[in-house]
Amino acid sequence: MSLLGSDSTDSVAETAQEAKRAATGESPPKTHSTSFKLARVLFGGVLAFTAIDNLRNLDEMVGYAESKGAPEPERTVPFISGSLLFGGIGIAAWKFPRLAAGAVAAFLVSVTPAMHDFWAIDDDQQREQELIHFLKNVALLGGAIAFLRIGQDD
């Protein structure tokens, strides 16, 4: 490997990172692999779709947030849905990955316990549905944290 990089289109930052990895024996990030690209497009795409659905059904989402006692749902629901849209698109496109993953994590941390409070539901069937949504969001939070870490390293 030459110090100037193997391809004339390599950026100075990419060339410096490659030189550092060569000197330290580190392996390059796996973020350019096909499987990683597929993972981020699937993860981010589903989140972006969810955010778009929230924004398209804004009155319904605001009503649901009101029923759960969310503060100022007319303001917070569009804002937080917009942050989820930003995060989903950012992860899928791998643009501003730390900021995007952070937006998704913030969405999930703030929304999950407030909107899916299964422990406060008396009806067994409704409690089970809220538990499913709660656990789904916890799993998504795990993915967002993983993308946050990978984005930090990339």
Side-chain angles (χ1 to χ4, degrees), residues 119-148:
W119 55 88
I121 307 293
D122 291 328
D123 179 62
D124 289 343
Q125 188 174 10
Q126 188 179 0
R127 181 176 40 249
E128 185 175 337
Q129 286 300 310
E130 292 298 345
L131 176 60
I132 290 167
H133 289 297
F134 183 91
L135 294 174
K136 170 199 52 121
N137 282 9
V138 169
L140 289 171
L141 177 60
I145 291 168
F147 280 114
L148 183 62

Side-chain angles (χ1 to χ4, degrees), residues 25-74:
E26 295 177 13
S27 62
K30 306 286 189 225
T31 57
H32 301 294
S33 70
T34 302
S35 61
F36 183 79
K37 288 177 184 177
L38 178 62
R40 64 181 171 75
V41 167
L42 290 172
F43 186 83
V46 167
L47 295 173
F49 174 82
T50 300
I52 290 168
D53 192 52
N54 287 352
L55 293 168
R56 285 178 38 207
N57 299 305
L58 197 54
D59 290 339
E60 185 180 318
M61 294 295 112
V62 167
Y64 182 65
E66 282 177 345
S67 76
K68 293 289 193 166
E72 299 185 53
E74 302 83 19

Side-chain angles (χ1 to χ4, degrees), residues 58 62 71-81:
L58 197 54
V62 167
E72 299 185 53
E74 302 83 19
R75 288 183 178 175
T76 56
V77 171
F79 175 78
I80 203 148
S81 295

